[in-house]
Amino acid sequence: MPDVGYRPRDDGRPDPGEVVWAWVPYDEGDGRGKDRPVLVIGRRGPQLLGLMLSSQDHDRDAADEARHGRVWTDVGSGAWDPRGRPSEVRLDRLLVLDPATVRREGAALDRTRFDRVVSEARRVQGW
């Protein structure tokens, strides 16, 4: 089970509860990927555990996403997106990140939204 908890600190380093930017490989595992926002939810040893964010509205293609095993939840907008677009968090894919690969800090998610996302991720992933 992941060591999950809300521990954001304004110290310039990525902490659980913060949205940061990191390289996220595509599902295909072919070496391609994208620099994108990630909600850090915890740690596994020195590694960060996170869930990727997207500004795309997956409600419109929910059936297709579900068929591929992808589960999303709305998280609203925040300072991680300079255009203020609402975001969704992908619940079914836990990312393991080296803190050195995190490109920059975005913003801390408030405790209420963080707790809801983690609760939903636990349900979806079974931990």
Side-chain angles (χ1 to χ4, degrees):
M1 174 156 59
D3 174 18
V4 175
Y6 186 77
R7 299 184 287 275
R9 285 178 284 188
D10 190 13
D11 60 3
R13 292 180 304 202
D15 300 303
E18 296 175 356
V19 177
V20 299
W21 285 77
W23 179 259
V24 176
Y26 291 143
D27 287 333
E28 295 80 8
D30 60 5
R32 295 179 305 144
K34 182 178 181 181
D35 196 44
R36 63 182 322 131
V38 173
L39 172 61
V40 178
I41 63 168
R43 294 184 178 278
R44 181 180 293 150
Q47 305 290 66
L48 300 172
L49 301 174
L51 302 170
M52 68 183 214
L53 278 74
S54 174
S55 59
Q56 291 184 355
D57 183 3
H58 292 93
D59 292 340
R60 293 181 296 191
D61 60 353
D64 188 51
E65 288 293 293
R67 191 171 73 247
H68 289 94
R70 295 184 291 256
V71 181
W72 299 86
T73 190
D74 293 324
V75 74
S77 59
W80 57 86
D81 186 319
R83 293 175 30 200
R85 297 172 293 185
S87 295
E88 295 183 2
V89 175
R90 184 168 169 188
L91 300 171
D92 62 284
R93 183 179 180 203
L94 186 63
L95 303 171
V96 179
L97 303 169
D98 177 344
T101 66
V102 172
R103 303 239 190 287
R104 63 182 188 256
E105 281 195 58
L109 198 65
D110 64 81
R111 181 68 184 254
T112 301
R113 288 191 285 177
F114 178 86
D115 288 344
R116 180 182 57 78
V117 167
V118 167
S119 176
E120 291 181 34
R122 274 194 172 111
R123 178 183 53 78
V124 167
Q125 295 188 33
W127 42 265

